[in-house]
Every structure is written in C-alpha cells, then in structure tokens.
C-alpha cells in the first residue's frame, strides 16, 4: 500500500521537520500536514488547477448554479510518497520497473551523485573520487547503531556499501543532499552531513561550481522537481539514519 507523506515523517524530531520545511521554502509554521500540502502543489501545477477552477466556475454560472463553489485545493490530491519517488526516478532517468521503493530511493540518490559528477570539472571529479572518509566517524556522529563500519575509504568505495545496507543508503543520500543543497543555494546545518568531513565540505563549500549548473528544468505547468527532489533526498537520508 502506498505510503502517505505524513506517515513517512511521522516520528521525526522538530529539527528534521524544520530542515525539510526550509528545503520546501515554507515560511509559516512547519508541520507534517503543511509539508504534504506543499509537495502536493510542487507536484501538481497550481496554474492548471486554477485554470480548471475558473472554467468550472464559469460553467456553474452559465448553468446558474449558485450553491456550489469549486475550490482549487480540492482539484488535486496529495501524492503518496511512493508516487513522488517513482516520479523523481523517472525525471532523473533512473526508473526501473518492479524496483521496490527502497531500491528506488537508492537509485535516485546515486542518480543525483552521477548528475553532479557529470557537471564537475575534471579536477573536481578527481577530488571526489580520491577523497577519503572515515566510516567509524560517520556512524558515531550520526548515531547510527547496528553493524559496525570501520576504516578509511575513498568516497566511491564507501558508497559501495549502498548495495547491501541501510547505512549505504544513508551515505549515498546524504552525499547527494550535499550536492543538491549547494546547487540550489540552500544552507542546512552542517550536522545534517554528520561525519562526511572533507568530502561534504568541498561539495557544499564556497566555490559555487555546481550552483551555475541547472540540475532540473520544468515548465510552469509541470512538477517542480528542483524543489521536490532535494526534499525527497532529505527524507531518504533522515529515515535511513533512523533505521540503522
């Protein structure tokens, strides 16, 4: 059964909720329900819904109906988390039929990393491949429990863990989050990237190499993936951290 957004983030703490609200540019009080509604209108074009409302209102007037009003909010349903993940995978050209949602979460995270690597200059790409991260430090700083991961590995070698563990999904999604937040100019608390050290530091550093590259494009009447995908990657990162 498809998961609802409010259920996926139901057990989050206030800090994680606020960070997600920042990614979605929510100005008012941030609540799970508000997050779900914001994602609804990033996914469905409010422009089209408003046009439909106007057409229906004119039709009602022509039929001399005065006791009904078409509310734009009622013209679209909140998409499920599964629907958003599948849509994002299709947008990033990484959708694979019959994949589980967990597999699709990993596919999406890795697709973002690959897209960022494609936009790097050769030297920056080399830096990404050769930089090392301490897995023990990541597990300690992120309060990840369960299987112990030790040793210093290159980023790519560490990401190989994503094939077999929830910890790997955490590592992949958090790395992808660093790329995305840097690309769209959003600053989250550095603690969000716990333990990734110099690798994430250069990703979200002041150089700004990625900010000029357009990760996504959409028309006014299409889903705003530039807002949706960073939010989904953050959800993946938080939930994979909590599941370990």
């Amino acid at each position: 059964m498809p998961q609802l957004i409010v259920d996926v983030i139901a057990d989050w703490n206030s800090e994680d909720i606020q960070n997600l609200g920042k990614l979605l540019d929510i100005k008012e009080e941030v609540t799970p329900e508000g997050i779900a509604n914001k994602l609804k209108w990033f996914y469905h074009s409010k422009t089209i819904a408003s046009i439909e409302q106007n057409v229906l209102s004119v039709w009602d007037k022509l039929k001399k109906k005065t006791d009904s009003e078409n509310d734009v909010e009622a013209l679209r349903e909140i998409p499920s988390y599964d629907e958003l993940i599948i849509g994002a995978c299709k947008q990033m050209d990484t959708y694979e039929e019959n994949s589980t949602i967990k597999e699709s979460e990993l596919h999406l995270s890795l697709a973002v990393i690959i897209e960022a690597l494609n936009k790097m200059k050769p030297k920056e790409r080399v830096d990404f491949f050769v930089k090392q991260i301490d897995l023990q430090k990541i597990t300690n700083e992120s309060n990840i429990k369960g299987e112990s991961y030790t040793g210093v590995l290159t980023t790519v070698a560490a990401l190989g863990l994503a094939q077999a563990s929830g910890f790997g999904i955490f590592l992949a999604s958090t790395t992808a989050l660093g790329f995305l937040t840097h690309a769209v100019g959003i600053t989250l608390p550095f603690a969000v990237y716990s333990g990734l050290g110099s690798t994430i530091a250069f990703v979200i550093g002041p150089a700004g190499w990625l900010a000029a590259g357009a990760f996504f494009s959409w028309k006014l009447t299409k889903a705003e993936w530039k807002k949706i995908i960073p939010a989904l990657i953050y959800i993946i990162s938080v939930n994979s951290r909590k599941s370990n």
Side-chain angles (χ1 to χ4, degrees):
M1 182 177 179
Q3 306 171 86
L4 301 177
I5 294 293
V6 291
D7 293 336
V8 171
I9 63 176
D11 63 345
W12 283 22
N13 61 38
S14 175
E15 184 178 5
D16 288 332
I17 290 288
Q18 293 303 315
N19 284 336
L20 183 52
K22 185 172 184 178
L23 284 170
L24 292 169
D25 197 29
I26 297 177
K27 305 298 185 185
E28 61 273 15
E29 181 184 0
V30 183
T31 64
E33 293 74 19
I35 286 169
N37 195 60
K38 193 77 170 182
L39 283 167
K40 166 185 173 178
W41 288 119
F42 282 143
Y43 185 69
H44 299 296
S45 169
K46 203 159 192 174
T47 301
I48 288 181
S50 295
I51 291 171
E52 289 177 4
Q53 180 195 30
N54 291 335
V55 170
L56 290 172
S57 295
V58 169
W59 183 246
D60 280 349
K61 288 178 181 177
L62 290 173
K63 292 164 58 175
K64 297 183 178 179
K65 286 187 178 180
T66 58
D67 57 347
S68 67
E69 183 177 337
N70 295 295
D71 183 2
V72 67
E73 290 290 333
L75 293 177
R76 295 290 185 273
E77 293 185 352
I78 295 175
S80 69
Y81 177 71
D82 303 47
E83 189 176 357
L84 289 171
I85 288 290
I86 291 171
C89 283
K90 289 180 177 178
Q91 174 70 17
M92 297 294 293
D93 197 25
T94 192
Y95 175 69
E96 195 168 76
E97 201 167 352
N98 299 322
S99 293
T100 66
I101 291 301
K102 185 62 67 178
E103 289 170 337
S104 294
E105 289 176 334
L106 177 57
H107 296 166
L108 178 62
S109 299
L110 294 178
V112 168
I113 294 173
I114 291 167
E115 182 72 10
L117 289 170
N118 283 333
K119 295 186 184 307
M120 288 182 185
K121 294 178 181 177
K123 184 180 182 304
E124 293 161 343
R125 195 176 298 124
V126 169
D127 286 343
F128 178 83
F129 279 101
V130 302
K131 281 185 179 292
Q132 296 183 324
I133 55 178
D134 187 335
L135 298 185
Q136 186 65 59
K137 184 178 181 183
I138 294 174
T139 56
N140 290 344
E141 291 188 7
S142 303
N143 295 316
I144 291 177
K145 310 237 178 348
E147 187 175 351
S148 177
Y149 299 94
T150 60
V152 176
L153 296 174
T154 62
T155 307
V156 173
L159 285 171
L161 292 171
Q163 298 298 321
S165 70
F167 168 73
I169 296 176
F170 168 75
L171 184 60
S173 59
T174 306
T175 302
L177 182 67
F179 284 124
L180 287 175
T181 52
H182 189 55
V184 298
I186 295 176
T187 303
L188 294 178
F190 197 79
V192 170
Y193 314 99
S194 295
L196 293 184
S198 60
T199 301
I200 287 295
F202 102 87
V203 168
I204 63 174
W209 56 267
L210 196 57
F215 252 84
F216 317 109
S217 62
W218 66 88
K219 297 178 181 179
L220 189 63
T221 56
K222 299 295 183 182
E224 296 189 31
W225 294 110
K226 183 179 178 180
K227 293 288 188 180
I228 297 171
I229 291 179
L232 292 177
I233 293 292
Y234 185 70
I235 291 173
I236 296 167
S237 177
V238 172
N239 284 342
S240 60
R241 182 188 74 215
K242 288 177 175 293
S243 67
N244 281 273

